[in-house]
Amino acid sequence: SKAYLTTLSRASKVATMVEVDATTGAVKRLAVDSGKTFVELGNPVDPTPNYVTEDGETLWWSERDGWGHLYRYGPDGTLRNRVTEGPWQVGTIVHVDERGRRLWFTARGREPGAFVYYARLYAVNFDGSGLSLLTPEDADHAIQVSPNGRWAIDTWSRVETPPVTVLRELATGRVVRPLETADVSQLTAAGFRGARTF
């Protein structure tokens, strides 16, 4: 009965999340961001990470402090709290447990000494408490969550190493079992060498 849209002004200086009532056409503003130059709608390499819960709360991605983070708005459009903060970048929301008030998302650059462009999986409560890293490997993680939210398939790799795919328990990040490791023996035999970061 409702549609949720993200709008961007012509000059890209104002981004807004709105709720449209499909029966009446009434529009309600849920979240808004503005900037002097332009407003990003999300990390360029990730899907836009906004989410609206069944009870009308909005999880909204914003760079308002210079870093891409998540903010929680009430159904009336008032800011309730920051969900994440710090000198690092949230990527995208991969799963939300509305009953448990917890969400899972990817982020880059949070762990000291890690390669800043590699996405890792994290979980946090709606109120911003309980932030935890679930994929400790210093690699880029592509996450697929099962429909019931219990499991995740994690394919991780680095530019110099082949992909490894594992089954993880989503709540804890524990590796339940390895699923696949890419075989690059033929590439290596043909003289292929992995890239180097610098």
Side-chain angles (χ1 to χ4, degrees):
S1 63
K2 294 175 182 172
Y4 296 93
L5 309 170
T6 303
T7 67
L8 190 61
S9 68
R10 185 175 178 88
S12 299
K13 293 184 179 181
V14 180
T16 309
M17 170 73 83
V18 296
E19 174 189 275
V20 181
D21 188 304
T23 55
T24 67
V27 177
K28 180 169 68 172
R29 187 174 76 180
L30 300 178
V32 65
D33 260 346
S34 62
K36 292 180 180 178
T37 54
F38 64 93
V39 175
E40 291 281 2
L41 290 178
N43 185 320
V45 297
D46 294 308
T48 303
N50 302 322
Y51 183 92
V52 180
T53 66
E54 288 290 328
D55 60 6
E57 285 190 322
T58 302
L59 298 167
W60 176 255
W61 186 95
S62 169
E63 285 186 326
R64 65 188 59 175
D65 71 349
W67 298 92
H69 282 293
L70 296 171
Y71 297 78
R72 183 171 64 117
Y73 285 82
D76 60 353
T78 59
L79 178 64
R80 290 194 168 165
N81 62 275
R82 284 186 71 139
V83 180
T84 60
E85 63 182 304
W88 47 281
Q89 188 90 350
V90 168
T92 194
I93 295 171
V94 297
H95 182 71
V96 177
D97 176 1
E98 295 187 24
R99 290 183 67 190
R101 314 296 286 166
R102 193 157 174 81
L103 65 106
W104 286 258
F105 63 95
T106 60
R108 294 173 171 84
R110 183 176 183 272
E111 306 309 313
F115 189 52
V116 69
Y117 292 108
Y118 289 157
R120 295 191 188 192
L121 180 66
Y122 296 84
V124 68
N125 295 323
F126 277 23
D127 64 4
S129 66
L131 178 66
S132 57
L133 169 66
L134 301 175
T135 52
E137 301 85 4
D138 184 14
D140 191 53
H141 295 261
I143 307 295
Q144 299 174 60
V145 178
S146 66
N148 65 6
R150 187 172 176 194
W151 313 106
I153 295 175
D154 172 19
T155 300
W156 57 270
S157 64
R158 298 174 57 94
V159 295
E160 72 275 16
T161 59
V164 174
T165 301
V166 298
L167 178 67
R168 291 185 186 272
E169 183 180 57
L170 188 63
T172 64
R174 176 181 68 89
V175 173
V176 176
R177 67 176 46 134
L179 298 176
E180 185 72 40
T181 299
D183 179 2
V184 295
S185 59
Q186 289 182 344
L187 281 172
T188 304
F192 174 81
R193 291 186 301 173
R196 290 185 299 119
T197 58
F198 62 93

